[in-house]
Amino acid sequence: FQETFVKIFESMLKFFQDAADDGFLRPGLDPFIICNVIMGSVNNAVRMDQVCKCHFQISLADEAFRQKFLSQLKSLFGYGLLKQ
């Protein structure tokens, strides 16, 4: 956990802190909260994958669905974070 998720979180936090410092993010957004929401979304998708596979016949194991998931995640968070 320490060597994977914490390191990923720290790297993402630095990325968003730098983006905020350079004026790319909307004013008032907290880089720590942004990272929490993104990591929570990904964690939930992975945790719920078996349920989705059983009930909705979709899974992150499917390459096409995984790419669609990542693309939409980037779109949802990217366009909501960037300063216009």
Side-chain angles (χ1 to χ4, degrees):
F1 183 83
Q2 190 77 17
E3 292 299 315
T4 54
F5 289 105
V6 173
K7 294 233 184 274
I8 292 168
F9 191 91
E10 289 172 341
S11 295
M12 194 170 23
L13 182 58
K14 180 174 179 358
F15 174 82
F16 285 114
Q17 285 172 330
D18 290 347
D21 292 344
D22 292 342
F24 288 107
L25 299 185
R26 288 188 304 140
L29 292 178
D30 185 317
F32 186 83
I33 294 172
I34 293 169
C35 291
N36 252 337
V37 171
I38 292 172
M39 288 290 284
S41 297
V42 171
N43 184 35
N44 186 63
V46 171
R47 199 172 46 82
M48 294 295 294
D49 194 55
Q50 286 297 340
V51 172
C52 291
K53 186 176 181 180
C54 179
H55 293 284
F56 304 107
Q57 293 73 52
I58 56 174
S59 173
L60 293 171
D62 175 59
E63 177 70 21
F65 179 72
R66 185 172 56 250
Q67 290 304 318
K68 183 177 181 180
F69 177 86
L70 292 172
S71 174
Q72 290 194 13
L73 186 69
K74 288 187 291 186
S75 180
L76 285 167
F77 285 109
Y79 292 116
L81 299 173
L82 297 177
K83 186 169 69 173
Q84 301 294 321

